[in-house]
């Protein structure tokens, strides 16, 4: 059990953030076997297929992400790999700029990673970190970018909910249902931990709360210098993240976009190619391509290349439009069957 003592200044400086870079690291843990409950099995199958098709050498990244074992150090992630964000919603590029600028003295970890990998980073930090950042960028484009709008909708929904809890009842109300592993009493936040024990004082630095799609059922803490004290926790309704619903096109959406474009936007609850969309909708491949171009121009759809295939996905604006029309609204229930 870790006891995190929060003074008045710490409570006042408690804030939320979303970290694309942490989602990269947490999703790699899932691909390496951390998803024993199968919550992300739908995403895992697709991500593995795309990574294999692209023949991307992911070892500079994967070697630094520990796999679940009995070792007390196995669950620890190197701090330099995913430093807590300094802004509420940084881009991946912003976070990678921080990684590239990591001072050599911070390139260490107690996690079980190949010594040769750390040795290479120490031998030439600038080149090693640049290569690592490049691999992360490529991994992101293949495995996470097509799904980021869906993930981001879930994470932002959780932050809105928790901000409301803070307004309604203060810090005690905020932490009351953050996660079963987290409890609040007096000025102390207690975090259940498999190996760590003792008290931690934040000394006025505040606490950063980062909802994360890929950490359930665990909570990850960052409490050591020089990083911002942070808790990375599962958001509400994470179990519904990969659920798909029958693609019923809203008449309201069709009235604004036209039936064909509304159908395509509705079908993009998960990323898909032009050929797949044509097969599912009955439209010609040429027609699908034309409509997708119009949707991209309007900012409702984005495109992501995977090998020779281009996958289309809804953007945040596209998710909002579909939700506003009554289809695909962000879930508000608790964790459930991932589908």
């Amino acid at each position: 059990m870790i006891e995190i003592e929060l003074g008045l200044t710490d409570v006042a400086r408690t804030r939320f953030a979303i970290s694309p870079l942490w989602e990269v690291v947490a999703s790699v843990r899932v691909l390496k076997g951390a998803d024993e409950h199968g919550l992300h099995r739908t995403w895992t199958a697709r991500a593995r297929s795309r990574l294999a098709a692209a023949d991307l050498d992911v070892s500079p990244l994967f070697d630094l992400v520990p796999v679940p074992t009995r070792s007390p150090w196995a669950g620890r992630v190197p701090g330099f790999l995913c430093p807590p964000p300094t802004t509420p919603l940084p881009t991946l590029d912003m976070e990678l700029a921080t990684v590239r600028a990591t001072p050599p003295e911070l390139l260490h970890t107690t996690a079980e990673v190949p010594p040769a990998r750390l040795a290479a980073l120490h031998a030439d930090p600038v080149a090693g970190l640049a290569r690592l950042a490049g691999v992360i960028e490529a991994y992101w484009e293949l495995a996470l970018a097509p799904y980021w709008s869906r993930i981001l909708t879930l994470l932002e929904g959780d932050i809105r909910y928790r901000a409301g809890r803070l307004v309604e009842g203060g810090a005690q109300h905020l932490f009351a249902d953050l996660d079963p592993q987290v409890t609040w009493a007096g000025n102390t936040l207690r975090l259940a931990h498999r190996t760590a024990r003792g008290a931690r004082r934040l000394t006025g630095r505040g606490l950063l709360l980062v909802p994360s799609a890929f950490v359930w059922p665990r909570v990850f803490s960052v409490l050591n210098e020089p990083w911002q004290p942070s808790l990375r926790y599962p958001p509400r309704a994470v179990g519904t993240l990969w659920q798909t619903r029958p693609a019923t096109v809203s008449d309201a959406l069709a009235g604004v976009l036209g039936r064909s474009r509304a159908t395509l936007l509705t079908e993009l609850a998960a990323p898909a190619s032009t050929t797949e969309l044509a097969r599912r909708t009955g439209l010609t491949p040429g027609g699908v391509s034309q409509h997708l171009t119009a949707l991209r121009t309007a900012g409702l759809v984005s495109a992501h290349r995977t090998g020779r295939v281009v996958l289309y996905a809804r953007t945040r604006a596209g998710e909002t439009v579909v939700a506003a029309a009554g289809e695909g609204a962000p879930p508000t229930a608790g964790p459930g069957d991932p589908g």
Side-chain angles (χ1 to χ4, degrees):
M1 177 72 70
I2 298 176
E3 297 184 344
I4 305 171
E5 298 180 9
L6 282 77
L8 291 177
T9 303
D10 296 312
V11 173
R13 290 181 177 175
T14 293
R15 61 185 180 88
F16 288 90
I18 290 171
S19 174
L21 180 56
W22 170 253
E23 294 305 313
V24 167
V25 173
S27 68
V28 169
R29 290 188 74 258
V30 167
L31 289 177
K32 294 183 71 172
D35 187 30
E36 62 269 23
H37 298 283
L39 184 69
H40 300 289
R41 60 179 178 268
T42 298
W43 171 84
T44 298
R46 294 170 180 169
R48 284 177 175 159
S49 175
R50 288 168 189 159
L51 291 169
D55 196 25
L56 174 67
D57 179 11
V58 295
S59 60
L61 169 61
F62 277 48
D63 283 352
L64 293 174
V65 180
V67 295
T69 69
R70 294 181 180 180
S71 167
W73 309 112
R76 301 194 178 189
V77 177
F80 68 85
L81 182 59
C82 49
T86 58
T87 60
L89 184 55
T91 64
L92 181 65
D93 287 344
M94 291 169 60
E95 293 193 282
L96 287 180
T98 301
V99 171
R100 291 187 182 97
T102 302
E105 61 269 20
L106 294 183
L107 295 177
H108 59 79
T109 179
T110 55
E112 292 181 344
V113 300
R117 183 64 63 190
L118 289 178
L121 283 174
H122 282 287
D124 191 344
V126 174
L129 291 172
R131 184 185 180 199
L132 174 62
V135 172
I136 290 173
E137 288 174 328
Y139 173 88
W140 169 271
E141 191 63 26
L142 290 167
L144 288 182
Y147 304 97
W148 185 238
S149 293
R150 173 183 288 205
I151 294 171
L152 192 56
T153 297
L154 178 72
L155 302 182
E156 290 183 326
D158 185 84
I159 290 177
R160 285 193 297 270
Y161 167 79
R162 305 214 175 274
R165 297 273 294 181
L166 182 63
V167 170
E168 292 170 2
Q172 182 174 2
H173 204 48
L174 166 64
F175 290 116
D177 68 342
L178 188 76
D179 190 89
Q181 299 168 74
V182 178
T183 56
W184 171 269
N187 66 338
T188 301
L189 195 65
R190 292 183 172 87
L191 172 63
H193 199 282
R194 291 182 298 177
T195 58
R197 299 288 184 273
R200 305 288 191 278
R201 292 179 176 84
L202 303 187
T203 62
R205 293 176 294 161
L207 185 65
L208 179 65
L209 301 174
V210 183
S212 173
F214 290 97
V215 298
W216 187 87
R218 292 190 58 186
V219 173
F220 282 76
S221 60
V222 179
L223 299 172
N224 296 326
E225 298 278 4
W227 319 115
Q228 168 71 48
S230 307
L231 292 184
R232 293 153 173 164
Y233 67 92
R236 300 171 71 249
V238 65
T240 68
L241 180 59
W242 308 117
Q243 283 184 350
T244 57
R245 303 175 182 177
T248 303
V249 181
S250 163
D251 289 337
L253 192 60
V256 174
L257 299 179
R259 179 64 58 176
S260 295
R261 291 174 187 174
T263 298
L264 291 172
L265 194 60
T266 303
E267 287 285 347
L268 287 174
S273 65
T274 299
T275 301
E276 184 180 356
L277 288 168
R279 178 185 59 79
R280 279 159 37 183
T281 63
L283 299 170
T284 66
V288 170
S289 180
Q290 181 180 1
H291 290 310
L292 289 174
T293 298
L295 291 170
R296 285 187 67 188
T297 301
L300 301 179
V301 165
S302 59
H304 308 271
R305 179 169 292 280
T306 303
R308 297 182 179 179
V309 178
V310 176
L311 296 176
Y312 294 88
R314 290 198 295 240
T315 63
R316 292 176 67 188
E319 296 282 359
T320 300
V321 167
V322 173
E327 301 294 335
T332 57
D337 185 358

